Amino acid sequence: MAIHPDAGKIAPHDSLVNIPALVAAYYRQQPDIKASPDQKVSFGTSGHRGSALKTTFNEHHIMAICQAIAEYRKAHGVTGPLYLGKDTHALSEAAFGTALEVLIANGVRVRVQEGDGYTPTPVISHAILTHNALGEDIADGIVITPSHNPPEDGGIKYNSLKGGPADQDITNWIAQRANQLLESELEDAEWLPAEELNASPLIEPFDYIAHYVDDLDSVIDMDAIAKAGIKIGVDPMGGSGLHFWKPIAEKYNLNIEVVNDKVDFTFGFMPLDKDGRIRMDCSSSYAMQNLLALKDKFDISIGNDPDYDRHGIVCAGSGLMNPNAYLAVAIEYLATHRPQWSDDIQFGKTLVSSAMIDRVVEGLGKTLCEVPVGFKWYVEGLFSGEMAFGGEESAGASFLRKDGSVWTTDKDGIILGLLAAEILAITGKDPHELYEAQVSRYGRPIYKRIDVPCSAEQKSVLSSLSADSVAGDTLAGDAITGILTEAPGNGASIGGLKVQTANGWFAARPSGTENIYKIYLESFVSEDHLAQLESDAKALVDRALG
């Protein structure tokens, strides 16, 4: 994909989404899933997402989803509070109100941020887990967010009693029931008029900020950061964690400067991403230009997406770290600086994350657990304490508390940012310097992801390929050492194909929302070798698709 000429520049005013029109569409446009199947409720790797302007994320969708969740809770004996959070997308505000109207009408106790504030995804996970550890009743949660998606998008995801994204059996049931409700025009949906909500005792204000912030020193060495005087710059990027940083700085005596305190539903302060769209992607150097311009003012700088499940790490002098590189450094540091963790604990990565992680984990003498794309695959391991760390190439990760018990089972951009400061405080080297040391030991990987147009039928074929679909025994001049259609870590289908050699690999998997398939590539040799990998990968997939 060609880089847009305005990538990295502040979005022009005439490109900003019309918020009144967007919110009006949320309430006015109603999905017709029989005539337009693309308007159905569909849970991907991170819940249901869409836009009111395309009639894929509207009031009726949220009513149907929340009614289905209420019915699921009742059927499975979930009697505790539901922890409800929202991010700073305009549709999140509208969907939050709808969710309350339906959940309260169904008799669900709902805990919301006091003062009607915003709540990051990891904070909801943390609240569920700490509640359920008390053993009194069972809680779960909903986060209303489309993650880093553009301002016109909305999203909603359900977190189970284990704190993380609900597994596929649960989300399939919720989606199926929600679509039944849509087909019946919400005949069986309960709903409470907004004016009656304020009087309901089922809405319980909750101090999410203090509950989370006061517990941070159980997972991060906050004393070390304070004693080292690490200067930390934070760009909340208009997201849900904006009001967490001041309490963090005050409680732990940290030198933190928030460089942007704006909440703007258009996200008009954002530099455009590589394709010319506004996207709050903290792993993109184009979207992170505001913070990168200040990088030399701080020792470590942190950016996060709107729901704070992703992290962008900026080191003074060197700039924004590649997400894969930071995951490799974080794993090595944690494995050698958490003495209370079990020696045989696992470290998790997705199949499309860098093979540098494989080499680092092997060099540590630790166990790697490789899973399909989606953080839901880490929930059980993090919950049980059998997995120390789970990370994704898209800049999302979480890890255990210092004592080896669960912290969150959803991605946590706050602790990954603070970990970068801890690493510098303890080692005297920033994560970029430590990554260069890894490169000197294991080689320098060159990583790339591309999108290739394909039909819905081809997507279906790709998701069900077998190892027999691969013709030939070499890739980019090297012998093929592995062909995967299932993840080695848990045997789950990867919904595509991964082919490995000693010097590189590629993976191909269909998009869950667009008529494209994604190819992930990595070479430990050179840019020319990466180009040959790309050429061979496209040819191999084309042959398999017929």
Side-chain angles (χ1 to χ4, degrees):
M1 177 187 293
I3 303 300
H4 193 279
D6 292 330
K9 300 177 183 178
I10 299 297
H13 183 76
D14 59 5
S15 72
L16 303 182
V17 64
N18 182 327
I19 298 299
L22 177 68
V23 175
Y26 173 83
Y27 291 106
R28 182 181 299 141
Q29 295 176 200
Q30 299 179 6
D32 182 352
I33 65 175
K34 291 181 180 178
S36 302
D38 61 319
Q39 295 176 3
K40 285 185 174 182
V41 170
S42 176
F43 278 74
T45 56
S46 295
H48 174 79
R49 295 182 185 176
S51 176
L53 299 173
K54 298 178 181 178
T55 324
T56 50
F57 188 91
N58 301 77
E59 183 180 35
H60 280 210
H61 290 105
I62 304 307
M63 291 182 72
I65 291 169
C66 290
Q67 179 64 38
I69 289 172
E71 293 176 8
Y72 177 85
R73 296 178 98 247
K74 184 176 181 180
H76 291 82
V78 183
T79 58
L82 182 144
Y83 289 88
L84 179 64
K86 63 183 176 184
D87 78 355
T88 50
H89 280 77
L91 288 176
S92 296
E93 195 73 44
F96 183 83
T98 303
L100 277 176
E101 292 165 6
V102 174
L103 294 168
I104 299 302
N106 279 274
V108 177
R109 293 165 51 207
V110 182
R111 290 190 172 167
V112 300
Q113 172 61 42
E114 60 183 21
D116 195 32
Y118 305 104
T119 310
T121 284
V123 174
I124 294 294
S125 178
H126 174 265
I128 294 168
L129 290 166
T130 53
H131 178 97
N132 290 343
L134 299 175
E136 297 171 357
D137 51 21
I138 301 173
D140 54 4
I142 292 174
V143 190
I144 299 176
T145 173
S147 189
H148 64 295
N149 279 24
E152 63 268 24
D153 284 7
I156 182 170
K157 56 185 180 181
Y158 176 58
N159 283 28
S160 72
L161 58 90
K162 292 185 177 179
D167 66 35
Q168 193 166 359
D169 289 342
I170 297 174
T171 56
N172 283 348
W173 189 94
I174 291 171
Q176 182 179 23
R177 177 57 180 150
N179 286 321
Q180 289 173 351
L181 288 162
L182 290 177
E183 286 181 354
S184 68
E185 298 183 352
L186 300 172
E187 181 180 359
D188 296 327
E190 301 288 337
W191 171 79
L192 188 70
E195 57 270 19
E196 297 181 25
L197 282 178
N198 290 338
S200 175
L202 293 174
I203 299 179
E204 302 176 355
F206 185 78
D207 190 351
Y208 282 108
I209 296 176
H211 185 74
Y212 178 89
V213 170
D214 289 351
D215 205 16
L216 273 171
D217 59 352
S218 72
V219 68
I220 296 291
D221 191 341
M222 306 298 273
D223 286 341
I225 300 172
K227 289 175 182 176
I230 305 299
K231 294 175 63 178
I232 304 171
V234 174
D235 186 351
M237 297 172 74
S240 58
L242 170 62
H243 297 298
F244 282 69
W245 291 108
K246 183 178 179 181
I248 290 172
E250 291 177 346
K251 179 172 179 60
Y252 297 105
N253 194 29
L254 301 189
N255 185 356
I256 295 176
E257 180 180 337
V258 174
V259 302
N260 171 22
D261 62 1
K262 296 178 182 177
V263 173
D264 172 6
F265 293 133
T266 69
F267 290 89
F269 53 79
M270 282 294 300
L272 297 174
D273 205 357
K274 61 183 178 182
D275 59 356
R277 299 186 69 189
I278 295 176
R279 187 178 290 105
M280 289 65 69
D281 183 355
C282 50
S283 67
S284 164
S285 61
Y286 300 101
M288 287 279 279
Q289 281 299 306
N290 290 340
L291 191 56
L292 285 169
L294 303 172
K295 65 180 175 61
D296 295 331
K297 183 179 178 181
F298 305 103
D299 300 315
I300 294 290
S301 300
I302 305 164
N304 298 99
D305 65 336
D307 75 316
Y308 268 63
D309 69 347
R310 297 187 184 209
H311 56 273
I313 307 300
V314 176
C315 300
S318 56
L320 180 66
M321 286 199 73
N322 178 285
N324 278 304
Y326 183 57
L327 294 183
V329 170
I331 287 171
E332 183 164 17
Y333 174 81
L334 289 167
T336 53
H337 289 82
R338 292 295 186 267
Q340 291 180 269
W341 286 4
S342 168
D343 289 337
D344 58 358
I345 206 162
Q346 295 182 333
F347 291 82
K349 60 161 279 196
T350 60
L351 281 109
V352 298
S353 298
S354 174
M356 174 65 92
I357 296 171
D358 303 52
R359 298 183 181 196
V360 167
V361 173
E362 182 180 2
L364 292 166
K366 300 294 185 180
T367 302
L368 181 73
C369 181
E370 193 169 14
V371 300
V373 173
F375 207 79
K376 62 186 178 184
W377 301 109
Y378 296 130
V379 171
E380 189 62 45
L382 289 168
F383 182 78
S384 67
E386 295 175 3
M387 182 173 289
F389 180 100
E392 297 185 322
E393 52 80 30
S394 54
S398 190
F399 51 89
L400 298 179
R401 295 172 188 260
K402 290 184 283 188
D403 67 3
S405 63
V406 63
W407 167 253
T408 65
T409 50
D410 214 331
K411 295 173 284 191
D412 191 333
I414 296 175
I415 65 166
L416 266 297
L418 292 171
L419 180 67
E422 179 190 329
I423 290 171
L424 176 56
I426 294 294
T427 69
K429 297 180 179 179
D430 68 32
H432 175 77
E433 293 175 291
L434 294 178
Y435 181 68
E436 288 301 314
Q438 289 181 336
V439 166
S440 68
R441 299 197 305 270
Y442 300 116
R444 185 177 300 279
I446 309 167
Y447 186 95
K448 183 178 183 181
R449 198 199 91 179
I450 57 175
D451 297 337
V452 181
C454 67
S455 67
E457 292 77 13
Q458 288 175 318
K459 286 171 59 179
S460 178
V461 171
L462 179 57
S463 65
S464 58
L465 288 179
S466 68
D468 295 337
S469 305
V470 177
D473 54 10
T474 62
L475 179 70
D478 297 319
I480 292 173
T481 57
I483 302 172
L484 303 177
T485 57
E486 296 180 347
N490 59 4
S493 170
I494 66 176
L497 184 72
K498 181 175 183 179
V499 181
Q500 301 167 302
T501 72
N503 294 313
W505 59 271
F506 86 86
R509 54 183 293 270
S511 166
T513 56
E514 303 172 84
N515 281 333
I516 60 172
Y517 68 85
K518 303 175 183 180
I519 294 183
Y520 305 80
L521 307 143
E522 187 172 50
S523 168
F524 277 81
V525 179
S526 65
E527 290 282 358
D528 288 343
H529 184 253
L530 187 74
Q532 186 60 52
L533 269 174
E534 180 178 338
S535 176
D536 287 3
K538 287 179 178 178
L540 189 153
V541 174
D542 285 346
R543 286 196 300 270
L545 294 179

